[in-house]
Amino acid sequence: MKELSLNILDIAENSLKAGALLTEISIIEDDKTLVLTIADDGCGMTQQVLKTAADPFYTTRTTRKVGMGISLLKLEAEMTGGSFNIESRHISDYPQDHGTKVTAKFYKNHIDCIPLGDAVASITTLIQGHPDSDFVFFHKTGDKEVHLDTRELRTVLEGVPLNTYEVIKWIEEYLKDQYK
Amino acid sequence: MKSLAELQAIKDKMKNKVVLREGSNELRVVVGMATCGIAAGARPVLNALVEAVNESGLADKVTVSQTGCIGLCQYEPIVEVFEPGKEKVTYVKMDADKAKRVVEEHIKGGKVVADYTISDLNA
């Protein structure tokens, strides 16, 4: 991937496919590191599936036999000397408290570290494609804290879909303003 | 600074619009957004489509949506156009500018942009 934000889009799609009602995306940066966390309340994975999730030759897709998303993120993090972790609780074992959490840590000064890129575009793209799911986005960088919770927007919107063009544009500007 | 009051105003405007979507007569534009599509550049293609459809006032007749892997990863980004009563049109190796042209000439103008279709690429 050319941007880490594209990985965010890609990994969050797994959450939505797992039936997540809420997907929380957080990016915490300090001088040296960037920690990306994507946590969802989807159906989770069994221990058996979890073991193979980072294997490029494991995939849930049926159109071909290779699944690159998770393995790619893991590789990209490890390339910088960082780390990768995935935890999951499958709905069959945890009927109340199921879901998956992916964490990737990057060392930003490493020559192989991929730039974050346009995180705002990834968030608005996710909302555009999945207006009935909720997203929390948090990005801490330097002295800035950017925050979005679609559940809060939903209470204002009273049934107007989150992927209404004007709403998506508002979200885009709302996030961009917070980076200023 | 964007405020929630502005969002409230958008809501009020939208609520007053009676949305009459004629389900089956609707034209659907679908973008492949699996790992392959995203890595190949599907995000700007999708955003260009959403913007062009809305800026051209076609939002009531056209839905832009996302799908998983279409199975032709080497041709990503892929855009499929489904029009009731017509055969599906598959555009391949798309970018934002090509997407705008497809909205203008095909979605709005009704003429398939043969330069970007898969049959043309195979020929």
Side-chain angles (χ1 to χ4, degrees):
Chain A
M1 296 279 181
K2 287 191 191 112
E3 302 176 8
L4 289 181
S5 63
L6 294 174
N7 292 98
I8 296 176
L9 184 56
D10 187 34
I11 302 298
E13 292 288 348
N14 296 341
S15 298
L16 294 152
K17 219 173 287 166
L21 300 174
L22 178 67
T23 305
E24 295 175 78
I25 297 163
S26 101
I27 308 166
I28 313 272
E29 292 184 67
D30 62 23
D31 293 346
K32 292 195 181 89
T33 65
L34 181 154
V35 178
L36 167 66
T37 310
I38 299 171
D40 68 61
D41 62 356
C43 65
M45 289 179 272
T46 59
Q47 288 305 307
Q48 200 186 351
V49 172
L50 184 60
K51 263 186 259 167
T52 54
D55 175 352
F57 296 104
Y58 177 81
T59 181
T60 55
R61 77 163 88 175
T62 49
T63 46
R64 57 175 46 204
K65 290 187 174 135
V66 189
M68 290 302 206
I70 296 278
S71 41
L72 207 56
L73 180 65
K74 181 173 188 277
L75 178 78
E76 289 168 0
E78 288 173 352
M79 260 176 3
T80 71
S83 56
F84 175 88
N85 185 50
I86 181 164
E87 299 162 41
S88 196
R89 292 160 169 261
H90 191 249
I91 192 162
S92 61
D93 302 320
Y94 301 90
Q96 302 299 328
D97 185 23
H98 48 85
T100 301
K101 185 173 166 185
V102 172
T103 310
K105 183 178 183 181
F106 298 81
Y107 281 93
K108 297 196 289 187
N109 295 331
H110 195 284
I111 191 160
D112 289 325
C113 193
I114 296 162
L116 177 62
D118 195 347
V120 171
S122 284
I123 300 303
T124 55
T125 303
L126 279 169
I127 297 170
Q128 197 275 338
H130 310 277
D132 297 324
S133 298
D134 279 307
F135 298 92
V136 170
F137 174 63
F138 178 72
H139 185 184
K140 187 176 188 309
T141 174
D143 57 351
K144 296 263 187 331
E145 287 191 6
V146 175
H147 180 260
L148 179 83
D149 186 336
T150 57
R151 292 171 299 185
E152 289 166 8
L153 307 188
R154 224 177 269 284
T155 60
V156 175
L157 287 167
E158 292 174 10
V160 170
L162 276 167
N163 64 348
T164 308
Y165 182 62
E166 286 80 354
V167 176
I168 290 287
K169 282 278 151 196
W170 181 89
I171 294 171
E172 186 184 345
E173 292 304 318
Y174 179 71
L175 286 172
K176 280 185 182 167
D177 279 352
Q178 294 181 55
Y179 283 102
K180 278 177 193 161
Chain B
M1 206 60 186
K2 287 274 164 189
S3 66
L4 285 174
E6 265 177 274
L7 189 65
Q8 178 91 33
I10 294 172
K11 181 215 77 180
D12 292 337
K13 199 179 104 196
M14 289 324 208
K15 279 258 157 159
N16 292 333
K17 255 195 193 174
V18 184
V19 185
L20 278 174
R21 288 206 165 240
E22 302 146 66
S24 59
N25 289 327
E26 208 169 76
L27 194 145
R28 283 196 308 128
V29 183
V30 179
V31 185
M33 295 286 284
T35 310
C36 47
I38 293 169
R43 190 183 65 188
V45 170
L46 178 93
N47 291 333
L49 287 169
V50 169
E51 194 155 321
V53 162
N54 284 280
E55 300 295 337
S56 316
L58 299 165
D60 291 341
K61 282 174 273 175
V62 181
T63 324
V64 182
S65 56
Q66 306 175 19
T67 188
C69 178
I70 294 166
L72 299 163
C73 309
Q74 67 274 37
Y75 294 121
E76 293 280 1
I78 298 177
V79 174
E80 295 180 313
V81 179
F82 297 88
E83 204 170 346
K86 288 191 184 166
E87 221 171 295
K88 173 181 84 177
V89 178
T90 304
Y91 290 111
V92 297
K93 299 198 171 178
M94 293 296 281
D95 61 31
D97 288 331
K98 290 177 179 177
K100 282 179 208 154
R101 190 175 154 202
V102 165
V103 171
E104 190 57 34
E105 294 180 22
H106 180 179
I107 315 293
K108 202 174 171 188
K111 193 172 170 295
V112 174
V113 186
D115 294 354
Y116 311 148
T117 57
I118 188 154
S119 50
D120 195 66
L121 202 98
N122 281 345

